[in-house]
Amino acid sequence: MTIIILQSALTVNSMDLPSKLSGLSIPTLSPPSKRLVSHQLVLSRDGRPLYTLPAIVDPSTGAAVAESLLIAKYLDRTYQDKPSILPQSTQALQVAFLDILPTHPHPILQFTLQKITQNILSPESEVYCRMVWAAMPNVLPPGVHLDDAFPMESRAKEWEKLEKLFAEIERWIGNETFTTGATASFADFALAGLLQCFKKAWTEGSEEWERVICFQGGRWKKFLEDLQQYE
Amino acid sequence: MTIIILQSALTVNSMDLPSKLSGLSIPTLSPPSKRLVSHQLVLSRDGRPLYTLPAIVDPSTGAAVAESLLIAKYLDRTYQDKPSILPQSTQALQVAFLDILPTHPHPILQFTLQKITQNILSPESEVYCRMVWAAMPNVLPPGVHLDDAFPMESRAKEWEKLEKLFAEIERWIGNETFTTGATASFADFALAGLLQCFKKAWTEGSEEWERVICFQGGRWKKFLEDLQQYE
């Protein structure tokens, strides 16, 4: 979820519109933030509506939109004088790309979750996430504390897998600057959201973040630098 | 391989250049066709060079190019007055799409192979393929004849899986005509090559081909009709 919120922040920023980013704790997402999070995606197990992030409120139109792809489409439709986030000729291929990308962080996600809770989420959200993960045996074996679940010595292979998955993305992009050539678009913001999530979770200067930006000869350091014009 | 050859035939045709399609039997691919198949990809186990299809010879430049993506790039580079097969803004995303698409026919490939040998390949190629597949226990259990390996009653679930995978492609394309919007390109020729391979293997009017073109309310019948302008 953090990755997609970072992606949507980049999406909004790329439009060069005046905007204000608000962080919300997960437990406060229900009724009090109903105005901000208008898009009721699913019902929770006890039948109450669930509200989701990312979401935007556009004071110039009064629209409230949730879900990253819908936000991008809304912005393209509403601000046609700005550079398109999902150019028509790339839209289907970008959606396909967005289906694949979330599997790329899988190898290290298991031991990165604790860093996300510590370094990105608010204390209230951390409590909530630990409660949710504790009920998901594929994330956390029953009775095992998150901090003890993935000892350092078992992580080397997972980092190797991650590097191979990023090599795949490098091969796709080839000699281009971004996934959509010379101009960045939604798929690039998704990839940047993933990288920024790693950076925020592990923190700048950490051994883990240094490892990621050294993948493929520093390809992802350059990618984030090239993207700075959109921030 | 048949799918990729059909994809490259569409790629060449879309350029609207005079061309002649030659079919070659697999056993005749080595030295006699060396001129046609210039791209030596790998060495066989006994150390002899292996030649591959698809491949083109362009008499106007003298170039001989093998491998579908390299052929598309060669045509774009050489005939810049023709519509681009891999527009720059879509190239990386098309390559990513081409990485995913070959997994889509997997559910039914096991019992479609025999139809490909019977109805598409030459008798010489059929003998060669049966010999190769007989040595691949994941395709054909040892000692089992290809025609007996996948009884009809075990196939229903695999067809359901295939339909779900095509539903995914339908969701990616959304309301557009092609994967790259209003104008078709390389990713569309790959998808069409896959569909045409099914059609040729099962034959037009067969129950199996009717099933494929009825997936997603006839979406793929319409897709092939829309593509006819490029043939």
Side-chain angles (χ1 to χ4, degrees):
Chain A
M1 192 185 70
T2 307
I3 296 167
I4 301 171
I5 291 172
L6 291 166
Q7 171 190 9
S8 283
L10 270 165
T11 305
V12 171
N13 287 344
S14 76
M15 278 275 170
D16 207 16
L17 296 165
S19 63
K20 190 183 136 217
L21 184 63
S22 300
L24 291 173
S25 292
I26 294 173
T28 68
L29 267 184
S30 9
S33 59
K34 205 167 171 177
R35 190 179 150 267
L36 182 62
V37 194
S38 68
H39 191 78
Q40 181 186 320
L41 281 177
V42 279
L43 293 176
S44 67
R45 281 193 201 158
D46 61 8
R48 286 179 302 170
L50 277 182
Y51 300 94
T52 63
L53 287 179
I56 62 162
V57 173
D58 183 346
S60 68
T61 63
V65 188
E67 206 275 293
S68 64
L69 189 61
L70 295 180
I71 292 172
K73 287 183 177 179
Y74 165 81
L75 292 171
D76 266 355
R77 203 168 51 237
T78 311
Y79 299 99
Q80 296 187 9
D81 55 321
K82 304 281 182 184
S84 177
I85 300 160
L86 288 161
Q88 196 204 4
S89 67
T90 69
Q91 189 164 320
L93 293 166
Q94 289 205 53
V95 176
F97 179 88
L98 297 171
D99 265 15
I100 322 160
L101 192 66
T103 62
H104 281 70
H106 276 188
I108 66 156
L109 207 54
Q110 49 189 0
F111 50 82
T112 304
L113 284 176
Q114 59 183 311
K115 291 287 171 185
I116 293 175
T117 62
Q118 283 165 15
N119 296 330
I120 303 182
L121 301 181
S122 68
E124 298 85 359
S125 295
E126 182 182 346
V127 170
Y128 178 87
C129 284
R130 282 181 183 267
M131 190 181 73
V132 171
W133 292 332
M136 296 166 72
N138 57 333
V139 174
L140 201 61
V144 175
H145 191 271
L146 190 62
D147 300 333
D148 306 324
F150 307 102
M152 293 303 279
E153 56 269 31
S154 73
R155 298 181 184 182
K157 271 194 181 166
E158 305 305 317
W159 280 103
E160 279 172 31
K161 284 185 206 164
L162 184 75
E163 185 165 7
K164 278 189 189 153
L165 287 165
F166 270 86
E168 186 177 65
I169 305 177
E170 187 200 27
R171 182 171 56 77
W172 294 339
I173 302 184
N175 294 326
E176 298 294 338
T177 309
F178 301 115
T179 67
T180 43
T183 309
S185 56
F186 197 54
D188 298 290
F189 303 148
L191 179 53
L194 173 60
L195 290 165
Q196 287 183 351
C197 180
F198 285 160
K199 184 179 177 179
K200 283 176 191 283
W202 292 109
T203 72
E204 193 156 9
S206 65
E207 189 192 321
E208 290 83 0
W209 175 240
E210 287 299 316
R211 198 192 293 235
V212 171
I213 56 172
C214 287
F215 283 171
Q216 288 81 50
R219 178 68 185 90
W220 312 111
K221 188 170 184 237
K222 175 148 192 330
F223 175 80
L224 289 177
E225 283 166 4
D226 288 333
L227 256 187
Q228 275 174 1
Q229 59 185 299
Y230 296 91
E231 285 178 12
Chain B
M1 190 186 73
T2 307
I3 297 167
I4 301 170
I5 291 172
L6 291 166
Q7 172 190 8
S8 282
L10 271 164
T11 305
V12 171
N13 287 345
S14 77
M15 278 276 172
D16 207 15
L17 296 165
S19 63
K20 189 181 136 221
L21 185 63
S22 302
L24 292 172
S25 292
I26 295 173
T28 66
L29 267 183
S30 9
S33 60
K34 205 166 172 178
R35 192 178 149 266
L36 184 62
V37 193
S38 68
H39 191 77
Q40 181 186 319
L41 282 176
V42 279
L43 291 176
S44 66
R45 280 193 201 157
D46 62 8
R48 286 180 302 169
L50 277 182
Y51 300 96
T52 63
L53 287 180
I56 60 163
V57 173
D58 183 346
S60 70
T61 63
V65 188
E67 207 274 295
S68 64
L69 189 62
L70 295 180
I71 291 172
K73 287 182 177 178
Y74 165 80
L75 292 171
D76 266 356
R77 203 169 53 239
T78 311
Y79 299 98
Q80 296 187 9
D81 56 323
K82 305 281 181 184
S84 175
I85 301 161
L86 289 161
Q88 194 202 6
S89 67
T90 68
Q91 188 165 320
L93 294 167
Q94 288 205 53
V95 176
F97 179 89
L98 297 171
D99 265 14
I100 321 161
L101 193 66
T103 62
H104 281 71
H106 276 187
I108 65 157
L109 207 54
Q110 49 189 358
F111 50 82
T112 304
L113 285 176
Q114 56 182 313
K115 291 287 171 186
I116 293 175
T117 60
Q118 282 165 15
N119 296 329
I120 303 182
L121 300 181
S122 68
E124 297 86 0
S125 295
E126 182 182 345
V127 170
Y128 178 86
C129 284
R130 283 181 183 266
M131 191 181 73
V132 171
W133 291 334
M136 296 166 75
N138 57 332
V139 174
L140 200 61
V144 175
H145 189 269
L146 190 61
D147 300 333
D148 306 325
F150 307 101
M152 294 302 281
E153 56 267 33
S154 73
R155 298 180 184 183
K157 272 194 181 167
E158 306 306 317
W159 280 103
E160 279 171 32
K161 284 186 206 163
L162 184 75
E163 184 165 8
K164 279 189 190 152
L165 288 165
F166 271 87
E168 187 178 66
I169 304 176
E170 187 199 25
R171 183 171 55 76
W172 293 339
I173 301 184
N175 295 325
E176 298 295 338
T177 309
F178 300 115
T179 66
T180 42
T183 309
S185 56
F186 197 55
D188 297 289
F189 303 148
L191 180 53
L194 173 59
L195 290 165
Q196 286 182 351
C197 179
F198 284 160
K199 184 178 174 180
K200 284 177 191 282
W202 292 107
T203 70
E204 193 156 11
S206 65
E207 191 192 319
E208 290 83 0
W209 175 240
E210 286 300 314
R211 200 192 291 237
V212 170
I213 56 172
C214 287
F215 283 171
Q216 288 81 50
R219 178 67 185 92
W220 311 111
K221 190 172 182 232
K222 178 153 189 327
F223 176 79
L224 289 178
E225 283 166 5
D226 288 335
L227 257 187
Q228 274 173 4
Q229 59 186 297
Y230 297 91
E231 285 178 11

